[in-house]
Amino acid sequence: MTAYKGYLIDLDGTIFRGDEVIPGAVEFIYKLIEKQLPYVFITNNSSYTADLLIDKLTKMNIPAKKENILTSSIATAKYLKQSKEQVKCFMIGEIGLKQALKDENIVMTNQHVTHVVMGIDRQITYDKLAMATDFVRKGATLISTNKDLAIPSETGFKPGNGALTSVVSLSSGKEPLFIGKPAKNMIQIGLNMLNCKAREVLLIGDNYFTDIAGGIKSGVDTAFILTGIGQRRDIKSTMQPTYVLNDLSDYHLK
Ligand SMILES: [Mg+2]
């Protein structure tokens, strides 16, 4: 297998499952470090702050600094930062999104709102949804960290941010702009962080519909790893991943 110049690596189902590290993951990251190949962990989960993820990874013996972390919240904040216009956002989300917006000095307010920004919010209320809908109806742009409709939990699937966003989208009649995988926005920001071009990078992930589809759409090579949610039967014949791996120890770096 080719050594790529940079690696975009999903977390949930690829590196860890809950609080357990997936076999082969630690060794793989150490191989990247040994070869001085840059990596960015790229996760649609908008609820984590970079610091929380760094802590979690460090406990698993996986070295990570801020420059290695890209959540859909961080990607959303970076996306808004690039905007030419002055951004005043009404935010629905948890600490991960709030902190990411703060880190990029994005104004959060409910006055003269230009953007409604949505991430998963497990304390969501009818009032918040009503305010968001009203702002979008009055012309604010609807931006959403990710499209995930359902998220796995110990007790089954729960509504994901894509489902919450659909309420505001349906009530306002406006389509949201999604930032997280499979949208190209987040992958492009990941490439910028790696300082690499699309063709120089491998994206590794366990979700065919977000990681692999997003990677293919963005022109990066992909490794579909079968340690998480995805299964071989997900693969469409017209959209093949570059590699299919049983786990990360299957990937041999030259
Ligand atoms: Mg995953």
Side-chain angles (χ1 to χ4, degrees), residues 44-50 52 71-74 76-77 89-103 108 117-125 128 143-146 151 158-161 164-165:
N44 267 4
N45 190 326
S46 66
S47 66
Y48 281 119
T49 62
L52 269 167
T71 67
S72 59
S73 287
I74 294 169
T76 299
C89 80
F90 175 72
M91 187 221 49
I92 293 180
E94 297 182 7
I95 179 77
L97 183 55
K98 198 173 178 186
Q99 188 62 50
L101 293 170
K102 243 190 202 166
D103 287 348
M108 283 173 268
V117 180
M118 292 187 72
I120 186 99
D121 181 349
R122 283 163 287 195
Q123 246 72 60
I124 195 138
T125 62
K128 287 189 205 175
I143 296 203
S144 180
T145 56
N146 63 297
I151 45 174
K158 300 205 163 141
N161 184 51
L164 304 184
T165 304

Side-chain angles (χ1 to χ4, degrees), residues 14 32 49 64 76 89 140 143 157 187 192 200 234 238 242 253:
T14 300
L32 294 181
T49 62
T76 299
C89 80
I143 296 203
F157 281 87
I187 294 171
N192 296 346
E200 299 171 328
D234 296 338
T238 51
T242 318
L253 277 170

Side-chain angles (χ1 to χ4, degrees), residues 194-212:
L194 288 169
N195 204 8
C196 286
K197 297 191 176 76
R199 60 181 152 76
E200 299 171 328
V201 167
L202 182 70
L203 188 152
I204 306 170
D206 70 307
N207 188 323
Y208 178 79
F209 303 99
T210 58
D211 300 312
I212 305 308

Side-chain angles (χ1 to χ4, degrees), residues 10-16 42-43 181 205-207 210-211 228-229:
D10 172 59
L11 284 173
D12 219 336
T14 300
I15 294 292
F16 53 65
I42 182 166
T43 174
K181 304 170 283 185
D206 70 307
N207 188 323
T210 58
D211 300 312
I229 201 168

